[in-house]
């Protein structure tokens, strides 16, 4: 059983039997953390809608950070990172594999924006947090830019092809209009995703309904989010 709390924007807290996973917490209240379970904190990149320095005040077993979250002496001082917390920080580019806790495997994918996406396997469950790895297609952008973005997105997501993922947290960004459907659709067709939670919606939660109206084949797999603080239970 996995309990998921939506913290706002792209932030999620996942409670698995053996560990707690915190992804891209940038806003909202953090629920009371379970005692006796190690905490892994993930920050895909440094953008303010995905990262807040308060994470370093949490008693995490490890902080797994996109490589653009630079742990320079200046940043450590500015963010209030203690020497103990700094020693538990790992900065990651794409294509990395590591085991931050026994029985927990983390893989990273290069992002089409900043930082990385995370694929985490623990307790027999695999979860994916895309960060800003998305098919960013902007109306009015130069055709060559959008073409290059499409190629990069397909290249960077290739490691997911055919993979089984129990829960995927995917950008569904209403700022792109219908072009915001490109990324989630591609993810859902590329990998064997059992359940997907939309994120990066800038509080426009109705955008999920528009996506499902156009692609009703995903209705059993995409779970709409209606409000910050919403909780989900997945087997």
């Amino acid at each position: 059983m996995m309990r998921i709390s939506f913290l706002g924007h792209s932030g999620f807290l996942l409670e698995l039997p053996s560990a707690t996973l915190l992804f891209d917490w940038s806003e909202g209240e953090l629920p009371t953390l379970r005692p006796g379970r190690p905490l892994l904190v993930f920050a895909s990149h440094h953008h303010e809608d995905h990262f807040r320095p308060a994470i370093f005040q949490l008693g995490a077993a490890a902080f797994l950070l996109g490589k653009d979250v630079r742990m320079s002496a200046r940043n450590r001082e500015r963010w209030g990172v203690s020497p103990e917390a700094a020693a538990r920080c790992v900065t990651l580019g794409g294509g990395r594999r590591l085991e931050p806790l026994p029985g927990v495997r983390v893989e990273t994918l290069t992002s089409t924006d900043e930082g990385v996406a995370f694929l985490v396997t623990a307790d027999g469950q695999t979860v994916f947090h895309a960060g800003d790895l998305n098919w960013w297609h902007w109306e009015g952008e130069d055709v060559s830019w959008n073409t290059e973005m499409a190629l990069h997105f397909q290249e960077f997501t290739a490691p997911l092809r055919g993979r089984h993922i129990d829960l995927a947290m995917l950008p569904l960004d209403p700022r792109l209009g219908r072009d915001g459907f490109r990324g989630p659709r591609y993810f859902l067709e590329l990998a064997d995703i059992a359940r997907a939670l939309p994120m990066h919606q800038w509080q426009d939660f109705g955008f999920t309904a528009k996506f499902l109206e156009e692609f009703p084949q995903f209705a059993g797999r995409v779970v709409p989010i209606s409000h910050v603080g919403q909780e989900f239970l997945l087997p």
Side-chain angles (χ1 to χ4, degrees):
M1 184 68 67
M2 177 172 24
R3 181 185 297 274
I4 304 108
S5 300
F6 175 59
L7 306 178
H9 198 61
S10 297
F12 294 88
L13 183 75
L14 276 58
E15 296 175 333
L16 281 74
S18 67
T20 300
L21 315 179
L22 176 62
F23 290 97
D24 282 17
W25 178 42
S26 65
E27 60 183 60
E29 293 296 322
L30 192 65
T32 301
L33 298 176
R34 298 174 302 168
R37 301 289 198 285
L39 171 67
L40 293 176
V41 174
F42 299 82
S44 64
H45 62 291
H46 75 283
H47 289 166
E48 290 184 356
D49 60 322
H50 290 261
F51 167 75
R52 67 192 297 177
I55 61 173
F56 298 115
Q57 309 308 313
L58 301 173
F63 301 92
L64 304 168
L65 314 169
K67 64 180 181 180
D68 62 306
V69 184
R70 295 182 174 87
M71 298 303 293
S72 64
R74 180 174 179 272
N75 281 343
R76 292 198 303 270
E77 181 178 1
R78 185 160 60 101
W79 295 335
V81 184
S82 68
E84 294 76 18
R88 299 194 295 275
C89 291
V90 183
T91 54
L92 301 162
R96 289 285 304 276
R97 295 188 180 196
L98 68 157
E99 192 172 295
L101 292 172
V104 179
R105 185 176 72 249
V106 175
E107 303 169 58
T108 60
L109 281 67
T110 302
S111 176
T112 45
D113 192 350
E114 297 278 2
V116 297
F118 296 105
L119 188 68
V120 183
T121 302
D123 296 316
Q125 302 261 27
T126 297
V127 301
F128 175 70
H129 188 284
D132 266 358
L133 172 56
N134 192 23
W135 189 330
W136 299 107
H137 185 104
W138 295 97
E139 184 178 354
E141 186 61 76
D142 188 81
V143 172
S144 62
W145 189 94
N146 279 327
T147 300
E148 185 176 20
M149 173 59 64
L151 293 172
H152 283 167
F153 177 72
Q154 292 168 29
E155 175 189 353
F156 298 161
T157 56
L160 299 179
R161 184 174 299 279
R163 293 282 297 267
H164 176 75
I165 298 172
D166 295 283
L167 173 66
M169 293 153 277
L170 305 176
L172 184 56
D173 196 316
R175 298 176 302 169
L176 280 73
R178 289 184 67 256
D179 288 320
F181 300 161
R182 292 172 181 257
R185 178 187 180 185
Y186 192 88
F187 277 121
L188 288 160
E189 293 177 343
L190 179 73
D192 175 25
I193 297 172
R195 294 289 184 272
L197 288 171
M199 63 182 190
H200 218 272
Q201 294 191 285
W202 304 98
Q203 306 281 26
D204 185 0
F205 300 122
F207 196 60
T208 302
K210 296 177 183 177
F211 173 73
L212 292 175
E213 285 174 10
E214 184 142 349
F215 302 103
Q217 66 268 33
F218 301 135
R221 299 161 64 192
V222 175
V223 181
I225 289 176
S226 62
H227 61 275
V228 174
Q230 190 171 355
E231 293 189 350
F232 307 87
L233 278 175
L234 296 180

